[in-house]
Amino acid sequence: MSEKINYCEITVQKILKVSGNNIHLIFDKNSENIYTKSIIELNADEEIINIKSDEDNNNKVKIHVGSKNKMQEISISADKLKIEGDIFSEIININSNGLISNAYIRSKIYNFKGNGLYLNNVLNSDKISLDSNGIKTSVEIENNQLFDIDANGVAGKIKFRDNLPTKMNLNCMGGLISLYMSEKKVFDINQPTKGTLVKKILIQ
């Protein structure tokens, strides 16, 4: 049963689901709890925590999420979404129209779908999928095997921190991506649509 509250502090479970508008999520690698003073609707059991923001509340909903322990899944669906801190989950799914991300993300699978994506962070994920109209990136990548980008309009830089093999599927119309990597990195790019200029820059 869900209840509407204006304060909560509960222990993080295996699965976290967050939905609403104008949400600011702050992930804390030193905490095991979820904490907020914002008005939310909460439904929690032994495995799943489901948080919804009040649809009538136009103020920003700020939620602190402990990420000391790895979660099984994080699913976020929100307009005007901002995330920061250290996120640690097996699977991360984000659906948003307007995401600003300044987070260090560790996951097996990271999926984003929506409009207006701004990434300024580190992605440590085996599989990354970005599907958006409008992507601006300044990201660093670790431990990545498959990187899919499907977008109308993409710009920015992507820096690979390691020499592990990576395959990128780039299906974009317009924009410029600068890829920074070591000359030792095994990198394969599949670009069926030639609408985006790709610059490969070798670094020491």
Side-chain angles (χ1 to χ4, degrees), residues 20-76:
N21 297 309
N22 204 9
I23 294 176
H24 183 187
L25 293 171
I26 303 166
F27 289 83
D28 183 358
K29 66 180 179 180
N30 297 312
S31 173
E32 298 178 355
N33 295 328
I34 294 175
Y35 169 77
T36 184
K37 288 184 177 180
S38 299
I39 298 173
I40 62 168
E41 188 174 316
L42 176 68
N43 188 341
D45 59 29
E46 293 181 355
E47 291 195 350
I48 302 173
I49 295 175
N50 197 326
I51 296 174
K52 295 182 180 180
S53 69
D54 192 299
E55 294 182 356
D56 297 326
N57 182 12
N58 293 320
N59 296 321
K60 181 175 288 185
V61 177
K62 184 179 288 187
I63 303 169
H64 296 260
V65 180
S67 55
K68 185 175 182 179
N69 301 317
K70 183 170 71 170
M71 282 179 265
Q72 181 178 317
E73 181 180 346
I74 297 174
S75 293
I76 305 167

Side-chain angles (χ1 to χ4, degrees), residues 59-109:
N59 296 321
K60 181 175 288 185
V61 177
K62 184 179 288 187
I63 303 169
H64 296 260
V65 180
S67 55
K68 185 175 182 179
N69 301 317
K70 183 170 71 170
M71 282 179 265
Q72 181 178 317
E73 181 180 346
I74 297 174
S75 293
I76 305 167
S77 179
D79 289 339
K80 296 182 181 179
L81 172 65
K82 181 178 181 180
I83 59 174
E84 60 180 280
D86 194 318
I87 306 175
F88 191 22
S89 179
E90 192 79 8
I91 300 171
I92 299 172
N93 294 311
I94 299 177
N95 192 323
S96 176
N97 292 318
L99 167 64
I100 299 174
S101 176
N102 300 300
Y104 178 63
I105 295 174
R106 292 177 292 163
S107 65
K108 283 279 187 182
I109 299 173

